[in-house]
Amino acid sequence: MIENWPENIIPERVPRHVAIIMDGNGRWARQQGKERIFGHFQGVESVRESVQASIELGIEYLTLYAFSTENWNRPQDEVNALMELLVDTILAEVPSLNERRIRIRFIGDRHLLPQKCIQTIEEAERLTMPNQQLQLILALSYSGRWEIAKAVRRITEAGMSAQEITEELISNFLETSDIPDPELLIRTSGEQRISNFLLWQIAYAELFFTDQLWPDFNKELFFEAIRNYQGRERRFGKTSEQIQ
Ligand code: IPE
Ligand code: IPE
Ligand code: MG
C-alpha cells in the first residue's frame, strides 16, 4: 500500500468513515444528449473508483447514498431502471468484493424495494459478511428522518422510560449502530444540501462539496477531498488554542 501512497495525504489522519452523496448523474447524461439512466450507468464506474481509493487509503467504512426515500417520487421508468442496475451491478461485483475482502451492507427501508432487489442485497450481505478490509454501506430507500422515526418506534416498543433516553441509546437504535460517525461527507454536482442523508450521524462531519458531476468523480478527486479534509481544524466546540 505504502509504495503507491498518494502524494500529500497524511496516513495518520485518514478518516475512518467517508460518506458520499453521489449526485449529478442525470445532468451528466443530459450534457451528453442522452437519457438520465445513462448517467446512472456511468456512475457505477465512479463507485468503483471511490471503493478503490478507500482501499488504497485503508478507510474502514464507505457509505454511499444510492437511492433516497424521496427518490421513489421519480418517474417509474427511472426507478425501475435504477433498481435493475442495482441488482445487475451487485450480482456482478460480489466476487470482486470478496477478492478484495470488502463487506457490503445496506441501510434503508428495504421492504419498499422490489423482491428481486431484496433477495440480491441480502445474498450479497451474507456472502461478504466475514470480509474485514472495508465496509461498503449502500443507503437504499434511505432517509435520515425515516431512520430516526424507526429508531423512536423501536425504542418505544422496547419499553424504554424517559430517563433511559440518551444520545448513546438513540445511536444504538439507528441502522448504523455499529458504525462510527463519518468524519467526512462529500457531495458532488455543486448542490450544497444534505437531502435527508445521515442526519444524526453527520453532527460533526466535515462537509466537502465539489462541482464535479458524479460520473466524472474519480480516485484523484476522492484523494483531493481527503487532502482538503486534512487541512481542516476540527474543533468540536473548543477554541483553536485548545486544539494546538
Ligand atoms: C444521483 O444523480 C443519483 C440518484 C439520486 C439516484 P441524479 O439522478 O440526482 O442526477 P441529477 O441531480 O438529476 O443530475
Ligand atoms: C440525493 O440526491 C439522493 C442521492 C444521491 C441518492 P437527489 O438528487 O435526490 O437530491 P435533491 O433532490 O437534489 O436534493
Ligand atoms: Mg440529483
Side-chain angles (χ1 to χ4, degrees):
M1 189 164 82
I2 298 295
E3 58 195 63
N4 293 324
W5 190 260
E7 229 173 293
N8 296 327
I9 291 184
I10 308 156
E12 296 76 29
R13 289 180 44 206
V14 167
R16 288 184 73 191
H17 183 177
V18 174
I20 310 184
I21 302 175
M22 311 184 288
D23 197 15
N25 295 350
R27 276 164 283 170
W28 186 90
R30 290 296 185 215
Q31 283 177 3
Q32 326 270 314
K34 302 223 165 86
E35 295 293 318
R36 294 176 52 83
I37 185 68
F38 186 72
H40 299 314
F41 272 91
Q42 197 58 41
V44 175
E45 193 49 41
S46 305
V47 171
R48 290 200 192 94
E49 293 263 329
S50 302
V51 168
Q52 192 51 35
S54 300
I55 291 198
E56 288 178 22
L57 295 179
I59 287 169
E60 294 170 67
Y61 304 87
L62 175 67
T63 301
L64 303 177
Y65 205 7
F67 193 85
S68 73
T69 305
E70 290 74 22
N71 289 150
W72 288 116
N73 298 317
R74 291 194 175 193
Q76 194 60 47
D77 279 0
E78 183 171 342
V79 171
N80 292 345
L82 272 167
M83 294 299 148
E84 231 172 272
L85 174 63
L86 190 88
V87 167
D88 293 348
T89 307
I90 293 168
L91 287 174
E93 294 290 327
V94 165
S96 142
L97 295 176
N98 275 332
E99 257 164 48
R100 292 175 293 161
R101 295 193 298 114
I102 302 169
R103 175 179 174 188
I104 192 164
R105 297 172 62 173
F106 297 85
I107 57 172
D109 193 356
R110 53 180 76 184
H111 305 296
L112 297 178
L113 298 168
Q115 195 52 39
K116 173 81 187 142
C117 198
I118 301 177
Q119 274 169 4
T120 306
I121 67 177
E122 292 186 347
E123 179 76 349
E125 283 180 323
R126 197 178 60 74
L127 290 170
T128 63
M129 180 114 72
N131 297 339
Q132 289 189 357
Q133 171 65 40
L134 167 71
Q135 289 204 27
L136 174 60
I137 301 139
L138 234 54
L140 252 194
S141 186
Y142 171 91
S143 78
R145 288 187 174 182
W146 163 80
E147 180 185 37
I148 293 169
K150 178 181 168 190
V152 174
R153 274 195 301 278
R154 289 179 52 222
I155 288 170
T156 312
E157 282 163 7
M160 298 285 177
S161 67
Q163 288 71 29
E164 288 174 287
I165 310 292
T166 59
E167 292 185 13
E168 196 192 349
L169 181 95
I170 295 171
S171 294
N172 288 340
F173 275 83
L174 297 176
E175 305 275 288
T176 53
S177 56
D178 59 338
I179 299 170
D181 289 343
E183 295 97 326
L184 172 63
L185 171 68
I186 300 170
R187 182 172 187 146
T188 58
S189 91
E191 310 298 346
Q192 303 196 357
R193 55 177 171 262
I194 302 301
S195 302
N196 219 343
F197 191 39
L198 300 177
L199 297 178
W200 177 275
Q201 297 88 338
I202 58 165
Y204 255 108
E206 296 297 328
L207 309 181
F208 179 83
F209 298 105
T210 166
D211 286 338
Q212 301 287 335
L213 302 172
W214 179 248
D216 289 327
F217 195 76
N218 57 26
K219 221 165 72 169
E220 202 33 62
L221 292 164
F222 188 102
F223 293 151
E224 203 45 56
I226 301 293
R227 284 184 200 104
N228 186 291
Y229 163 83
Q230 292 192 335
R232 311 269 182 102
E233 182 180 69
R234 304 192 77 205
R235 289 196 285 274
F236 299 101
K238 295 182 178 168
T239 67
S240 250
E241 290 77 6
Q242 283 175 296
I243 305 296
Q244 300 313 310

